[in-house]
């Protein structure tokens, strides 16, 4: 429906109504009275009636009160499953029942029989990687997040526990980045104290016969030594 056809526009009021008359209005009494009704009778009422007539072809019946057409009923009839309900020889199952057909039920049963349920109690050993595994199989081949047992990986792609990683880090010296350099033989010696001691030892020499220690030094451009008293 073209709504513009039924709108009242300013042009519809042109030359009509009281505002279009002279002041004072020089008309006979009957004509003067008719001027006051002119807009309602000649503009508003005709437009309103045209609008009502245009709505006559529209179905404004509430959905709840509308009858089902023959075409809709036939379409609904084709949707009804006339198979018998499971376990019944007389009652038919309909779309609202959402029942499986016998063929679909057989397929579901087949899948159920070939699937290990969570309440499975039978021991099962999968024949290939595509077979389902029992709780026991999964438990024995995975590390749960709440694991408290010690585990040592032996192959490149085995999982590793935090405890194993921490110990491995310490074992390879990664916990102390310079250990492999200053203590390759694991002497666990203070490297700074060891260096100071060696530096002091280099200042002295020991007589192989007497065992006395002598301090070596340079004085006035010449080398001298004296017995160490400390």
């Amino acid at each position: 429906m073209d709504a513009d056809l039924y709108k009242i526009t300013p042009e519809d009021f042109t030359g009509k109504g009281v505002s279009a008359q002279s002041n004072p209005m020089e008309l006979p009494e009957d004509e003067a009275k008719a001027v006051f009704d002119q807009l309602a009778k000649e503009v508003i009422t005709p437009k309103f009636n045209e609008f009502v007539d245009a709505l006559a072809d529209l179905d404004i019946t509430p959905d709840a009160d509308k009858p089902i057409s023959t075409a809709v009923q036939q379409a609904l009839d084709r949707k009804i499953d006339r198979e018998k309900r499971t376990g019944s020889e007389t009652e038919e199952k309909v779309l609202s029942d959402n029942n499986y057909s016998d063929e679909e039920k057989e397929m579901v049963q087949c899948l159920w029989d070939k699937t290990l349920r969570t309440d499975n109690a039978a021991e099962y050993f999968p024949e290939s990687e595509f077979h389902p595994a029992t709780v026991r199989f999964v438990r024995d081949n995975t590390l749960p997040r709440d694991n408290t047992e010690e585990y040592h990986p032996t192959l490149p792609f085995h999982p590793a526990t935090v405890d194993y990683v921490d110990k491995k880090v310490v074992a390879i010296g990664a916990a102390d980045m310079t250990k492999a350099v200053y203590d390759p033989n694991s002497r666990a010696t203070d490297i700074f104290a060891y260096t100071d001691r060696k530096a002091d030892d280099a200042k002295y020499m020991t007589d192989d016969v007497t065992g006395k220690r002598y301090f070596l030094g340079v004085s006035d451009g010449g080398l001298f030594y004296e017995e160490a008293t400390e």
Side-chain angles (χ1 to χ4, degrees):
M1 181 176 69
D2 188 354
D4 290 336
L5 297 177
Y6 307 98
K7 292 181 179 178
I8 299 176
T9 64
E11 288 76 12
D12 294 324
F13 295 104
T14 302
K16 297 180 180 181
V18 177
S19 61
Q21 303 301 319
S22 61
N23 186 20
M25 190 165 43
E26 299 176 355
L27 293 173
E29 181 180 352
D30 292 341
E31 293 181 17
K33 291 180 179 179
V35 169
F36 289 93
D37 298 330
Q38 190 176 22
L39 293 180
K41 291 181 177 180
E42 298 181 14
V43 178
I44 299 175
T45 301
K47 284 288 186 180
F48 178 79
N49 289 338
E50 289 180 12
F51 182 73
V52 171
D53 290 340
L55 292 178
D57 295 332
L58 298 179
D59 184 3
I60 59 175
T61 305
D63 289 343
D65 298 333
K66 288 181 180 178
I68 299 178
S69 67
T70 302
V72 172
Q73 186 60 58
Q74 290 176 349
L76 290 174
D77 291 340
R78 287 195 295 269
K79 291 293 184 180
I80 297 177
D81 188 346
R82 296 300 183 182
E83 294 184 24
K84 294 295 187 294
R85 291 183 179 179
T86 303
S88 174
E89 295 296 332
T90 58
E91 295 184 12
E92 296 177 343
K93 56 184 179 180
V94 296
L95 182 63
S96 59
D97 288 335
N98 237 356
N99 277 357
Y100 283 121
S101 65
D102 293 338
E103 181 180 357
E104 290 170 333
K105 180 181 177 183
E106 184 178 352
M107 292 174 60
V108 172
Q109 186 64 47
C110 180
L111 290 174
W112 178 263
D113 293 340
K114 292 184 178 180
T115 303
L116 289 169
R117 305 181 304 277
T118 55
D119 60 351
N120 173 59
E123 186 172 9
Y124 176 78
F125 296 96
E127 300 171 0
S128 74
E129 59 181 333
F130 300 107
H131 280 82
T134 59
V135 173
R136 176 183 299 178
F137 180 83
V138 174
R139 181 195 62 200
D140 294 343
N141 289 274
T142 58
L143 283 175
R145 289 187 299 177
D146 58 351
N147 174 63
T148 57
E149 298 181 3
E150 187 176 16
Y151 175 77
H152 295 281
T154 57
L155 295 177
F157 298 104
H158 278 182
T161 62
V162 173
D163 180 68
Y164 174 83
V165 173
D166 289 344
K167 290 180 180 178
K168 190 69 173 180
V169 167
V170 173
I172 63 177
D176 184 346
M177 297 302 293
T178 59
K179 182 178 186 300
V181 176
Y182 70 75
D183 192 17
N185 296 317
S186 298
R187 295 183 179 180
T189 301
D190 185 337
I191 187 63
F192 300 103
Y194 180 82
T195 302
D196 291 341
R197 186 171 63 253
K198 288 297 183 180
D200 288 339
D201 290 345
K203 299 177 182 179
Y204 300 93
M205 63 175 295
T206 302
D207 190 314
D208 294 337
V209 177
T210 64
K212 294 181 179 181
R213 299 178 69 211
Y214 295 89
F215 176 77
L216 298 178
V218 177
S219 179
D220 297 331
L223 182 67
F224 75 94
Y225 70 94
E226 62 183 21
E227 184 178 355
T229 57
E230 296 181 0

